Amino acid sequence: MVKETNIMKFKTTILAMMALLISTFSFAREYQGGGKRSGTGNGDAVAANCAPPVGANELSINNVRALVQTGGDMWWDLVGVPRYEIPKGSGKTSLFAGSLWLGGRDASGQLKVAALRFRQVGMDFWTGPLSTVTAEIDPSTCDQWDIHFKSTRQEVDNFVNGEPAMDFIKTWPAHGDPSKDEAAYLAPFQDVDGDGFYNYTAGDYPGYDLSGNVDCQGQLLNIYGDENLWWIFNDKGNIHTESGGQAIGMEIRAQAFSFATNDEVNNMTFYNYELVNRSSFDLRDTYFGFWVDPDLGNAQDDYVGCDVERGLGFCYNGDEFDDDNAGRPGYGENPPAIGVDFFQGPFQDKDGKDNCLCDNYSDAIADDGIVYDGSGVGYGDGIVDNERLGMRAFLYHNNDNSPTGDPRVASDYYNFLRSIWRDNSLMYYGGTGHQNSSGVVQPLIEADFMFPGDSDPKGWGTGGDAQQSWTEVTAGNVPADRRFVQSAGPFALAPGAINNITVGVVWAQANSGGAAASVQAMKQADTKTQALFDNCFQLLDGPDAPVVAIEEMDKQLVFQLDNV
């Protein structure tokens, strides 16, 4: 609850801090976290010893029921049950797990990695904001932030139009705790009275763009969707026992959101991550990755692939009938396809120019800028340094300990983000992507994107030399349980720098034509959704229903349609 008696004190001090650059003011919100838990006991002298997060909540406003964890992972219940149900109510699921991966190097070249898969051996992420001074956090702060702040656009709109404030509006986490040196501004809000302070009694509300006048291509973020989960997590709450990597000092403000519509968007969910480098060092050669374990109904008969021009990684059925498996229902005939798209990747490093939307790889190199690879936004639009990277690598891995198997150590995770296998060999075009696999193209051709099909006609992933179509089918692979990671980078983050990224999950099921038809339907839905994002997630209104006037005449009716 908001401490009403502290509002004026907090407000006065915020204004003083803005004017005098001081940082002592009274905290105006008492956050309600989950139950208190003791530390794991596996921390070291510099680790906060935070407990693993356990908070979880669902997106369920449209045709998807998706479980999201507070610890950077999602879509499963942490005990082995998939929780990405689509169609909602069917009992059928298309994803098992997904999580955020981050990797980069400091000025001395020291590797820094934060990643997560199934929490088999530990965690790399904990909840809560980091200190803006020390980049540290304490266990009690981790614990109180182990929660999603759930909201809906309709409830906010109702409040703006005069209805009483819901509890989430009253307790919106707009500001950090100054006694812990947390950032003054955290969750986005609409500052109706313009005083720089969140106060719902003055009409302020969570940052939904109700007017449709926001530039979504900039750094300022809103709250998106018809339903939204907002939360905050970090990689400094304890030692990294999942990847074994050294901590970065990254604060991540996350949103999971969805829209209720009558078209393909009703089958989608979206995820935005605002990355804040709280460390004291430049993070260089940084890659953001989204890792996915896509169990499409029956997990044992899946294929994966990517679409280079769309920046899309996807999973589809490896045969034409998706059987039930392990007591869980399959999708049967015409099984669906599901994909993950970088609808808005990270800002690329500034180079003082508008990098070209080049027709070919040679032109991109001649531009002497950062090479456009067929995906991304802001290229060739006449605006300097607004370019955002699209998908720059796509790689699958198997559930085994081979060079193409599951990552084990920090260098494995970082390699996968750059299309490099566990044995430090590059990915090559053809076969299973490894230099020793049958079917790999000879002489060896370095590749950034695995199984692109014919989606890379300009050879963006092969140094400008277009290759023949490469899929799991052409490689002769046996369908199985697949995992993949797609990444964007490299980019740099200076201390205090912010970057933000949005990915979306796209799903489609064709009525006929089998698995291949579902892939095409999924790609068409993805194209439509990219246009939605480019429009700042403002759902385009269709034409108004016509006004029909009927005039009765002898043996006939005359219809007059207005507003068409």
Side-chain angles (χ1 to χ4, degrees), residues 284-297:
R284 305 174 182 180
D285 296 322
T286 308
Y287 288 82
F288 164 89
F290 206 74
W291 173 84
V292 181
D293 181 4
D295 292 357
L296 194 64

Side-chain angles (χ1 to χ4, degrees), residues 1 29-37 51-58 68-72 119 126-129 137 139-151 167-168 171-173 186-187 228-234 252-256:
M1 297 294 293
R29 186 195 182 286
E30 183 178 25
Y31 294 99
Q32 303 297 321
K36 303 298 178 183
R37 301 181 305 280
V54 297
N57 216 318
E58 280 189 343
V68 179
Q69 309 291 337
T70 54
R119 306 194 186 192
W126 298 267
T127 47
I137 193 169
S140 64
T141 302
C142 289
D143 192 72
Q144 70 183 28
W145 282 90
D146 191 4
I147 186 174
H148 290 111
F149 296 87
K150 188 172 185 176
S151 62
D167 284 345
F168 75 85
T171 59
W172 190 244
L186 294 176
N228 184 287
L229 304 175
W230 189 94
W231 76 107
I232 189 166
F233 61 103
N234 68 82
I252 304 151
R253 303 165 185 183
Q255 297 185 48

Side-chain angles (χ1 to χ4, degrees), residues 10 42 48 52 94 105 192 243 257 288 316 354 446-447 514 526 530 551:
F10 187 97
N42 62 353
S94 290
R105 297 185 183 277
V192 174
S243 71
F257 55 99
F288 164 89
Y316 60 104
D354 174 32
E446 293 181 19
D526 179 75
Q530 182 66 62
E551 182 179 357

Side-chain angles (χ1 to χ4, degrees), residues 44 46-47 101-116 123-126 130 135-136 234-252 277 279-284 286-287 408-414 417:
D44 56 24
V46 296
W101 289 8
L102 295 169
R105 297 185 183 277
D106 63 18
S108 66
Q110 189 68 44
L111 181 61
K112 309 284 185 176
V113 170
L116 193 60
M123 287 289 296
D124 280 10
F125 293 116
W126 298 267
L130 298 176
E136 301 296 341
N234 68 82
D235 82 315
K236 286 294 293 290
N238 213 318
I239 59 174
H240 289 200
T241 49
E242 171 71 21
S243 71
Q246 292 191 13
I248 300 170
M250 194 72 73
E251 177 179 298
I252 304 151
N277 182 9
S279 75
S280 60
F281 56 82
D282 290 332
L283 189 67
R284 305 174 182 180
T286 308
Y287 288 82
R408 305 293 184 186
V409 296
S411 58
D412 293 344
Y413 289 90
Y414 191 59
L417 292 172

Side-chain angles (χ1 to χ4, degrees), residues 308-309 371-376 379 389-393 449 456 460-461:
V308 174
E309 293 179 307
V371 177
Y372 169 76
D373 68 352
S375 63
Y379 294 86
L389 303 171
M391 181 178 72
R392 290 300 175 99
F449 306 107
D456 192 15
W460 293 113

Side-chain angles (χ1 to χ4, degrees), residues 320 333-334 509-518:
E320 295 306 325
E333 294 182 353
N334 299 306
Q509 184 171 20
N511 294 322
S512 62
S518 290

Side-chain angles (χ1 to χ4, degrees), residues 232-446:
I232 189 166
F233 61 103
N234 68 82
D235 82 315
K236 286 294 293 290
N238 213 318
I239 59 174
H240 289 200
T241 49
E242 171 71 21
S243 71
Q246 292 191 13
I248 300 170
M250 194 72 73
E251 177 179 298
I252 304 151
R253 303 165 185 183
Q255 297 185 48
F257 55 99
S258 56
F259 297 90
T261 69
N262 59 3
D263 61 6
E264 301 93 331
V265 178
N266 203 51
N267 294 323
M268 302 179 190
T269 58
F270 303 88
Y271 308 87
N272 177 274
Y273 301 95
E274 184 180 16
L275 311 175
V276 186
N277 182 9
R278 293 292 183 210
S279 75
S280 60
F281 56 82
D282 290 332
L283 189 67
R284 305 174 182 180
D285 296 322
T286 308
Y287 288 82
F288 164 89
F290 206 74
W291 173 84
V292 181
D293 181 4
D295 292 357
L296 194 64
N298 182 353
Q300 303 305 317
D301 62 355
D302 291 344
Y303 278 155
V304 296
C306 73
D307 189 305
V308 174
E309 293 179 307
R310 287 182 169 88
L312 173 72
F314 58 86
C315 174
Y316 60 104
N317 222 60
D319 55 39
E320 295 306 325
F321 190 91
D322 187 45
D323 297 290
D324 298 347
N325 183 54
R328 297 172 188 155
Y331 283 97
E333 294 182 353
N334 299 306
I338 194 163
V340 178
D341 191 328
F342 281 95
F343 287 114
Q344 190 178 64
F347 282 101
Q348 71 173 38
D349 293 340
K350 294 182 179 180
D351 59 3
K353 63 192 306 181
D354 174 32
N355 296 128
C356 72
L357 186 65
C358 302
D359 291 330
N360 56 64
Y361 195 88
S362 297
D363 288 346
I365 295 295
D367 181 59
D368 197 31
I370 297 174
V371 177
Y372 169 76
D373 68 352
S375 63
V377 296
Y379 294 86
D381 63 357
I383 302 174
V384 172
D385 287 336
N386 73 327
E387 296 87 356
R388 287 178 174 269
L389 303 171
M391 181 178 72
R392 290 300 175 99
F394 177 87
L395 177 146
Y396 90 154
H397 64 94
N398 296 305
N399 184 13
D400 58 38
N401 197 35
S402 70
T404 60
D406 290 330
R408 305 293 184 186
V409 296
S411 58
D412 293 344
Y413 289 90
Y414 191 59
N415 278 348
F416 280 11
L417 292 172
R418 300 178 297 146
S419 293
I420 300 173
W421 297 114
R422 292 181 59 219
D423 60 1
N424 292 312
S425 64
L426 299 176
M427 188 170 75
Y428 292 102
Y429 203 87
T432 60
H434 193 273
Q435 60 186 353
N436 295 331
S437 68
S438 63
V440 68
V441 173
Q442 297 291 340
L444 296 174
I445 298 172
E446 293 181 19

